[in-house]
Amino acid sequence: MALRILPFLSGLAVLGGFFLNPLSSAHAQQLDALSIGKWTITPYFGATVLNNQTMVEAATLSASGSITFSDGSILSATAAATLNETDFSDFYDTPLVFGADVGYMQTERLEVFGGFRYTTASGDSFTNVGSITAAFNFTDSSGTTTAVAIGDTIQASLGDYSSYSFSGGARHYLTDSRLAPFVGASVGYLRVDDISVKARLVNIAAQTGDIKYFDTSNIWTAGIQGGINFGKFGLQANLDYQPELNGDDSDIGLVGLGAINDTGGGFTVGIVARLTIAF
């Protein structure tokens, strides 16, 4: 029995030395990374886990006559509908985040950095956004005309989400030990690619093609962060804010819905894994 326990105790001794020895290689690497005058490169990847961005504002549609959208589909007669407020998470899968920071240690605790981040999320899944309150005729882009009845459900899908940001900020390390918690803040430029929308009427199985919804947006962004480094490796949580996206009303404005895309702003929370390389 004693012979079986000895290897286990030896293993614990090795692990204990790894975690507790202040001269371990990982500890030395962290002290090296936090030395004054050192440059760092920190690639990271993760996901946005919380998002409070509204993508469709609640509204009432009311239109009469014949209205042709940019995809060639047509509404005719008197159309009316109600739309519900719908959020980012209703349209998109969990956004993935990839990026890298380049930093400079001004002191053993203070790092200034500039970085690039790319965020992507898959769309194109239809979700319920409202219902028809007055009957009308719908002609799709192939020329097929169908009568739309009161009570039909309206669904919508948004095109894929892609954004790119360049930001600068500062990060303060609370210790210079092997386990180094940190806090930081940043501000920067954010570009969000244009986003189209498709609308579908459930009962008659008819839908539009891609019609314009958000134009390409060039906006600012700001955020705070906190995390912990374990040697070269670390985890980081980001709380970011962005203002509204640039709505494109050239299609939806034809039916009095030009305000439903005054949206896209809000807060996001992301968690990423990071690797810090000092040189």
Side-chain angles (χ1 to χ4, degrees):
M1 183 65 152
L3 291 176
R4 292 182 181 177
I5 294 176
L6 282 175
F8 176 72
L9 293 176
S10 299
L12 284 180
V14 172
L15 287 174
F18 177 77
F19 283 104
L20 299 177
N21 182 4
L23 298 179
S24 68
S25 60
H27 179 79
Q29 289 166 355
Q30 180 63 17
L31 290 177
D32 183 60
L34 298 179
S35 297
I36 298 174
K38 284 286 186 179
W39 289 88
T40 61
I41 297 178
T42 306
Y44 58 83
F45 71 94
T48 299
V49 295
L50 292 174
N51 190 312
N52 81 332
Q53 292 169 270
T54 298
M55 303 303 277
V56 177
E57 289 282 12
T60 300
L61 177 154
S62 180
S64 60
S66 180
I67 298 170
T68 303
F69 298 112
S70 60
D71 73 319
S73 57
I74 301 171
L75 296 182
S76 55
T78 299
T82 57
L83 299 181
N84 306 318
E85 182 178 295
T86 315
D87 296 331
F88 186 100
S89 58
D90 296 316
F91 291 108
Y92 291 105
D93 296 336
T94 299
L96 300 178
V97 178
F98 306 88
D101 293 335
V102 175
Y104 178 77
M105 297 302 302
Q106 286 199 327
T107 73
E108 290 185 351
R109 300 287 181 86
L110 180 63
E111 178 185 19
V112 293
F113 66 88
F116 168 79
R117 181 188 300 177
Y118 172 65
T119 303
T120 181
S122 297
D124 291 330
S125 58
F126 281 90
T127 188
N128 294 346
V129 296
S131 60
I132 301 301
T133 56
F136 61 93
N137 293 325
F138 173 75
T139 303
D140 63 26
S141 56
S142 68
T144 301
T145 300
T146 308
V148 181
I150 294 174
D152 202 345
T153 298
I154 305 170
Q155 294 184 329
S157 73
L158 295 179
D160 291 346
Y161 179 94
S162 295
S163 70
Y164 315 79
S165 68
F166 296 91
S167 61
R171 189 176 290 123
H172 176 69
Y173 293 89
L174 304 183
T175 72
D176 58 3
S177 64
R178 185 167 175 274
L179 288 175
F182 61 85
V183 293
S186 63
V187 63
Y189 158 80
L190 175 68
R191 173 191 170 95
V192 182
D193 287 346
D194 63 283
I195 298 173
S196 60
V197 63
K198 294 177 182 176
R200 180 166 70 185
L201 297 162
V202 174
N203 293 347
I204 64 172
Q207 73 177 56
T208 69
D210 290 319
I211 59 178
K212 298 172 182 178
Y213 195 71
F214 288 122
D215 200 358
T216 297
S217 301
N218 296 287
I219 52 182
W220 60 272
T221 181
I224 57 176
Q225 59 182 241
I228 187 166
N229 272 2
F230 182 80
K232 289 186 176 183
F233 301 95
L235 287 175
Q236 177 176 315
N238 302 310
L239 173 63
D240 296 304
Y241 174 79
Q242 67 181 55
E244 291 179 359
L245 302 179
N246 296 332
D248 186 333
D249 299 339
S250 55
D251 277 325
I252 60 177
L254 298 174
V255 289
L257 296 178
I260 67 168
N261 60 352
D262 294 339
T263 55
F267 291 93
T268 61
V269 175
I271 298 177
V272 300
R274 41 182 272 149
L275 170 66
T276 301
I277 303 168
F279 60 96

